[in-house]
Amino acid sequence: MTKRVSPRLAAIGVLLAVFALAADVNGKWRAEFTTPDGQQRVNTFTFKVEGGKLTGTVQGSQDDTPIQNGKVDGDEISFSAERPFGAFTYKGKVGAGEIKFKVEFNGQNFEMTAKRVPN
């Protein structure tokens, strides 16, 4: 005799599997990078992920800005931040101990790599 799994139970199982595959980006990350106008900068990111939703902050040299519209989907991460000098959009790919970001700000694009900060 074959038992059928209810569609609701199957859907819950699929959702749990997707969340289990999300990259672990919880914690602090640090990126040293060069802006499009040649300035050297450092950002520290603090991330918290709950069920694919990303929250946290972006910290620069003089400010600490909340992350908006954050999500993690597998090894992809994306969010925005309204910094004091403009809006930034971050899209990244999570690898072993690093996140490679493509960042858009004020019509300009640049890249940065954030590395996990040890606890």
Side-chain angles (χ1 to χ4, degrees), residues 15-16 18-20 22-27 46-56 67 69-73 77:
L15 283 174
L16 290 174
V18 167
F19 292 141
D24 179 18
V25 297
N26 287 302
T46 303
F47 297 136
K48 182 176 181 184
V49 179
E50 289 186 31
K53 181 180 178 184
L54 175 73
T55 58
I67 287 172
N69 307 311
K71 67 179 182 175
V72 177
D73 185 10
I77 180 174

Side-chain angles (χ1 to χ4, degrees), residues 2-4 8-9 11 29 38 50 57 75 80 93 102 111 114:
T2 305
K3 284 189 168 185
R4 293 191 63 194
R8 180 177 282 166
L9 187 58
W29 298 76
E50 289 186 31
T57 59
D75 64 352
S80 59
K93 186 151 184 104
K102 292 184 179 186
E111 296 182 1

